[in-house]
Amino acid sequence: MRKAIENNPSIKAAIFAGKGLYEEPYPASFIVKHGELTNEIVTEYSITRGSGLSKGNYTIIFKP
């Protein structure tokens, strides 16, 4: 999954900024990272399956 995200800029922009999913002005153009405003939306992340597997809640979670 990580390889698919890293190799496709439009998927990465959709996941981290909402670009292509929402109309302007809703996609993120800036974030606050380490107390500073930056346009580097994509940060280090991990991918987990969430905690609802036993309840049938199948989700994928991206954590910074």
Side-chain angles (χ1 to χ4, degrees):
M1 180 169 283
R2 181 178 294 275
K3 192 181 289 185
I5 294 166
E6 294 298 326
N7 291 332
N8 190 323
S10 61
I11 290 175
K12 191 184 273 191
I15 291 171
F16 291 99
K19 293 184 179 180
L21 301 176
Y22 307 105
E23 294 180 19
E24 289 294 339
Y26 300 108
S29 298
F30 301 94
I31 63 169
V32 176
K33 184 176 177 182
H34 304 294
E36 301 276 328
L37 189 63
T38 180
N39 62 353
E40 295 176 21
I41 302 295
V42 180
T43 61
E44 293 296 318
Y45 62 95
S46 63
I47 303 170
T48 69
R49 295 182 299 167
S51 61
L53 291 176
S54 62
K55 300 175 203 153
N57 184 10
Y58 303 106
T59 57
I60 298 172
I61 300 171
F62 296 86
K63 294 183 177 183

